[in-house]
Amino acid sequence: MATSSHRRSRRPDRRTGRRVPVVTVVAVAAVALLVSLVVAFRPGGGGDDGARAVEPAAGAAANGTPTASPAATASPTSSPSPSSSPSPKSSKASGSPSPTGTGPATPSAAKPAAPAARTASGTASSAGRIRPGRTYTGVATAYDIGDGNGACSFGPTSDVMTAAMNTADYDTSEACGAYVSVRAASGASVTVRITNECPAPCAAGQIDLSQQAFAKLAPLVTGRIPITWSLLSPATSETISIRYKTGSSPYWCGIQAIGHRNPLARLEVRTSAGWTRLARTGYNYFLSEHGAGCGSPIRLTDVYGEQLTVEGIAVRANVVQPTRLQFARH
């Protein structure tokens, strides 16, 4: 068949009047006709097979132009499906657990949330790494506290029942001022106030106690003992004081709270835009870099979510100014 299909039919020989046999040509034509009939009448056959190969998918607009590949089926002008849009992220920013006591997410969570600096809650917990009601495991070591001053910038103190918190649980100074109960495997315990930071190699869970506090748990020569510890909200007659950092003015200021019963979660100042949260430093001051709110009312929030508003505090650098306020005991 392949050979005969390329042969040409012969014309009459004008010189002799004889014709060349055309049997081969007729046979080829008959075979071609038979093939055409089989294709035309087969089930599902027909002349639209090529059109079906480029037929648009259900729901898509037909444009008569075949697609180049399955990957090109999406129209450049089509809008993305909801599943391809990024999901709202939880307000959770840094990988810390969300505050306890909060309910499940509601549909309104998909809307942009108000800035955290302006939505302080008086009921939800604001705890960071050190959370109320939890017991932590670690080790205790001891150091000479000197005059009692430390990374929390509280200044010298005669209180020797103090300690330095490891960097992870120090949590950018959020542990400053916290009272913790430390218990040894022997059952002995001691309450200390966090005034300092213990950098590496102190590990998460570790507390570097004053030598006086360590001696209540074990002999100093022991050097290192396993402990458990938890946050306290102790009885106290002390009230909170406010101190502006050296160099503070109406154009730049650092603010510190001293003597709070419970760890301080955030500090806000009132500005023309409302309550504005100030950034916390590792040395336990909250900074207003451009002077916003310096000398204005101050709002304090503890790790339990309670809020206190302090008014009438002028910008007086490095002066401890007392208030008559204190967080509730828990």
Side-chain angles (χ1 to χ4, degrees), residues 292-312:
C294 295
S296 298
I298 300 167
R299 185 162 70 179
L300 308 174
T301 304
D302 71 2
V303 296
Y304 295 93
E306 182 183 359
Q307 295 180 335
L308 300 174
T309 300
V310 182
E311 298 182 322

Side-chain angles (χ1 to χ4, degrees), residues 37 161 294 325:
L37 291 174
M161 292 297 139
C294 295
L325 303 174

Side-chain angles (χ1 to χ4, degrees), residues 173-217:
S173 78
E174 188 163 318
C176 286
Y179 289 87
V180 295
S181 174
V182 183
R183 182 175 296 274
S186 65
S189 65
V190 63
T191 297
V192 294
R193 185 169 68 107
I194 303 302
T195 61
N196 207 350
E197 177 184 7
C198 183
C202 279
Q206 183 173 347
I207 299 181
D208 207 19
L209 301 171
S210 68
Q211 292 177 345
Q212 295 87 338
F214 188 96
K216 291 184 176 294
L217 302 179

Side-chain angles (χ1 to χ4, degrees), residues 4-318:
S4 63
S5 67
H6 291 284
R7 291 171 61 180
R8 296 181 295 174
S9 62
R10 294 183 180 179
R11 299 192 182 193
D13 191 333
R14 294 181 180 177
R15 291 177 297 176
T16 62
R18 294 182 300 170
R19 292 180 176 272
V20 178
V22 293
V23 176
T24 302
V25 176
V26 173
V28 171
V31 172
L33 177 60
L34 181 60
V35 172
S36 299
L37 291 174
V38 171
V39 172
F41 290 100
R42 66 175 180 171
D48 61 345
D49 281 3
R52 290 179 185 273
V54 295
E55 191 174 85
N63 56 20
T65 304
T67 53
S69 67
T73 55
S75 170
T77 58
S78 63
S79 58
S81 63
S83 62
S84 66
S85 303
S87 303
K89 294 185 178 179
S90 70
S91 58
K92 302 176 281 187
S94 35
S96 299
S98 57
T100 58
T102 57
T106 61
S108 62
K111 298 179 180 179
R118 310 193 202 289
T119 57
S121 170
T123 56
S125 172
S126 302
R129 284 184 60 89
I130 303 178
R131 304 175 68 84
R134 293 190 179 180
T135 298
Y136 300 84
T137 301
V139 297
T141 48
Y143 80 110
D144 182 357
I145 63 171
D147 64 2
N149 197 11
C152 293
S153 305
F154 290 138
T157 178
S158 58
D159 181 10
V160 295
M161 292 297 139
T162 60
M165 184 63 73
N166 68 85
T167 296
D169 296 317
Y170 184 77
D171 198 14
T172 316
S173 78
E174 188 163 318
C176 286
Y179 289 87
V180 295
S181 174
V182 183
R183 182 175 296 274
S186 65
S189 65
V190 63
T191 297
V192 294
R193 185 169 68 107
I194 303 302
T195 61
N196 207 350
E197 177 184 7
C198 183
C202 279
Q206 183 173 347
I207 299 181
D208 207 19
L209 301 171
S210 68
Q211 292 177 345
Q212 295 87 338
F214 188 96
K216 291 184 176 294
L217 302 179
L220 283 177
V221 294
T222 309
R224 183 183 183 96
I225 59 173
I227 58 167
T228 58
W229 55 273
S230 57
L231 182 66
L232 290 181
S233 179
T236 179
S237 58
E238 189 176 7
T239 58
I240 297 172
S241 296
I242 299 295
R243 176 164 54 193
Y244 277 93
K245 193 177 186 305
T246 302
S248 293
S249 73
Y251 311 102
W252 179 94
C253 65
I255 308 173
Q256 181 187 56
I258 304 170
H260 38 84
R261 184 199 312 266
N262 307 317
L264 195 62
R266 59 179 173 266
L267 184 150
E268 300 161 284
V269 292
R270 185 179 291 162
T271 68
S272 58
W275 288 108
T276 300
R277 184 175 183 173
L278 298 187
R280 189 170 200 158
T281 67
Y283 53 88
N284 197 33
Y285 272 89
F286 296 80
L287 299 186
S288 177
E289 296 284 2
H290 303 290
C294 295
S296 298
I298 300 167
R299 185 162 70 179
L300 308 174
T301 304
D302 71 2
V303 296
Y304 295 93
E306 182 183 359
Q307 295 180 335
L308 300 174
T309 300
V310 182
E311 298 182 322
I313 302 295
V315 180
R316 299 173 61 193
N318 203 27

